[in-house]
Amino acid sequence: MSHPSSAVDAAAGVDDRIARRNVALLAFAQALGGASASIVIATGPLIGSALLGSDKSLATLPVSFMVLGTALGMLPAGMIMRRFGRRHSFLGSSIGGTFTSLLAAWAVIVADFWLFTLACAAMGFVTAFVQQFRFAAADTASPAFRPRAISWVMAGGILAGVIGPQTVILTRDLFAPILFAGTYVALAGLSFLAFLVLWFLKSPPPMAKAQAGDARPLSEIMRQSGFIVAVTCGIVSYALMSLVMTATPLAMIGCGLTTTDAALAIQWHVLAMFGPSFFTGSLIARFGVRTIVLVGLALLCGCAVIALSGEEVGHFWVALILLGVGWNFGFIGATTMLTACYRPSERNMVQSANDFLVFGFVAFASFSSGSLLYNFGWGTVNMLVFPVTAICVVMMLVLRRSSTDDALA
């Protein structure tokens, strides 16, 4: 007679076959959808500078509006997915990404700065759906496979970091002498390719009203200590990464280093952000999610220590590598923690609320990074890392002592 647990394990195996298939599709879609952010970051300031007159102070506005569009899109994305389901929502957002990319291309062709900025904000709204890919990977995964499913989808960011810059290089002169118009036409093609990939996704159907009846109010869920700690760790990991990363190229140029040095530093940082995703889930399964989040916070502090110890190119490179790995451990760990805080009927509501809070703070960090650097210096930017991470460490330790749930140990 078979042991009861074997039946459970067999069922989990069946579920995880579907989950593994979904993870492969979502990771590929993450690489395609995530390329839009790197393309806007690489080309937005240059396009803005070219389209503006003598006053170039608003040249980075398209990038800022993209980040803001992502933050503002989180709650609507959750409501749309709750109503129509993951698959249909992702397919619709991919088509939306195709049209917004074409709008950006047209704005470049007609030299309309504000239309281009609006298109970037719309692309940010589409990115709000891309940010939900990691949660979609967890929907069909067993609890044991869930951390790896999340981290493997995040690993698609490595390809996004390659696809985006290479798309810019290969297509910037496609409509010469108008630079980068072809890049956004190509981005429309990437979005449509993501649509074709996501067509094969298998996701749970939209929650029926009868099933959704057991959903608790969001205010009740947000009062849970586990939710508070998970969201706080996600905010701190992502916002500090954005704060330091955005300031680093400016600080490097200010220290007399070259733009090539800065570009290579960002390249290694992106690899450090997404490279560990291949094994972060396994580390969480082996050592526990809280331990990995604490290691991530320690690496963020290590970044600040290295950055404060000197201003040679090596200091900046090592600091950004530690920053990337720290973000990976902290953000994936926080995402995994969040999945234990809600019922299936609550997932879209809670996930979108989490990402709205996280990307709201990321947008604030992005906006304030340059001002902090110019007004208070590189040292102050890095000194902020210590008190902020200390708050998370204290919250994690308190949660560990008070929690009776060993699932997140």
Side-chain angles (χ1 to χ4, degrees):
M1 182 173 170
S2 62
H3 194 276
S5 64
S6 63
V8 175
D9 291 342
V14 173
D15 289 342
D16 282 344
R17 282 197 292 272
I18 297 173
R20 290 174 189 276
R21 179 178 180 275
N22 283 345
V23 164
L25 294 171
L26 289 165
F28 191 21
Q30 176 84 22
L32 298 170
S36 63
S38 60
I39 287 174
V40 174
I41 291 170
T43 65
L46 299 176
I47 293 172
S49 179
L51 297 183
L52 291 170
S54 57
D55 184 1
K56 310 292 186 182
S57 59
L58 297 179
T60 60
L61 198 63
V63 176
S64 298
F65 266 61
M66 180 191 68
V67 177
L68 185 61
T70 301
L72 295 178
M74 290 302 176
L75 293 179
M79 291 187 288
I80 291 170
M81 283 183 283
R82 186 180 179 87
R83 174 66 178 84
F84 298 103
R86 298 277 199 203
R87 181 174 175 272
H88 289 98
S89 300
F90 290 160
L91 290 172
S93 66
S94 297
I95 293 299
T98 301
F99 283 107
T100 56
S101 299
L102 292 174
L103 178 64
W106 176 250
V108 174
I109 291 172
V110 300
D112 190 326
F113 171 79
W114 292 107
L115 182 61
F116 177 72
T117 301
L118 177 64
C120 289
M123 282 187 276
F125 188 94
V126 170
T127 301
F129 289 85
V130 176
Q131 292 296 330
Q132 293 289 314
F133 288 174
R134 70 190 195 279
F135 289 121
D139 287 347
T140 54
S142 66
F145 181 58
R146 195 170 294 151
R148 279 172 292 203
I150 294 170
S151 63
W152 289 350
V153 170
M154 294 294 291
I158 295 177
L159 284 176
V162 174
I163 291 173
Q166 289 301 312
T167 299
V168 174
I169 293 170
L170 295 173
T171 62
R172 60 188 175 188
D173 297 318
L174 194 60
F175 289 94
I178 304 174
L179 287 178
F180 303 123
T183 298
Y184 286 90
V185 172
L187 180 56
L190 294 177
S191 296
F192 186 73
L193 182 57
F195 170 85
L196 297 178
V197 171
L198 292 167
W199 183 267
F200 299 98
L201 185 69
K202 293 184 177 180
S203 64
M207 192 68 63
K209 290 184 178 180
Q211 293 174 289
D214 66 340
R216 296 166 293 174
L218 182 59
S219 59
E220 178 182 339
I221 300 169
M222 294 178 71
R223 288 196 295 269
Q224 296 178 105
S225 58
F227 176 90
I228 294 171
V229 174
V231 172
T232 302
C233 290
I235 289 171
V236 167
S237 299
Y238 217 135
L240 285 180
M241 186 278 294
S242 178
L243 180 76
V244 176
M245 178 196 67
T246 304
T248 297
L250 299 174
M252 292 181 72
I253 299 302
C255 292
L257 300 174
T258 67
T259 55
T260 300
D261 293 330
L264 289 174
I266 294 298
Q267 175 180 301
W268 283 107
H269 169 66
V270 172
L271 292 174
M273 283 176 63
F274 296 105
S277 297
F278 290 108
F279 55 82
T280 303
S282 298
L283 292 176
I284 290 173
R286 180 173 181 179
F287 298 106
V289 65
R290 294 175 187 161
T291 299
I292 298 305
V293 172
L294 287 171
V295 171
L297 295 172
L299 289 171
L300 293 178
C301 291
C303 159
V305 170
I306 297 297
L308 291 168
S309 65
E311 296 179 345
E312 301 295 328
V313 65
H315 293 99
F316 287 103
W317 285 10
V318 173
L320 280 187
I321 290 172
L322 293 177
L323 183 70
V325 179
W327 170 83
N328 183 281
F329 285 4
F331 188 61
I332 292 178
T335 299
T336 304
M337 289 178 64
L338 187 75
T339 61
C341 297
Y342 52 79
R343 302 167 182 168
S345 59
E346 302 162 345
R347 62 175 180 255
N348 295 130
M349 173 177 61
V350 176
Q351 292 163 0
S352 58
N354 170 79
D355 279 3
F356 172 75
L357 293 170
V358 169
F359 284 91
F361 277 92
V362 170
F364 176 76
S366 176
F367 285 136
S368 61
S369 180
S371 177
L372 281 171
L373 178 66
Y374 284 122
N375 292 318
F376 300 100
W378 175 239
T380 299
V381 171
N382 287 280
M383 287 297 294
L384 286 173
V385 172
F386 300 112
V388 176
T389 53
I391 294 172
C392 281
V393 171
V394 171
M395 292 177 70
M396 291 283 291
L397 295 177
V398 170
L399 180 65
R400 175 173 285 181
R401 289 183 178 182
S402 62
S403 177
T404 57
D405 182 10
D406 293 331
L408 295 177

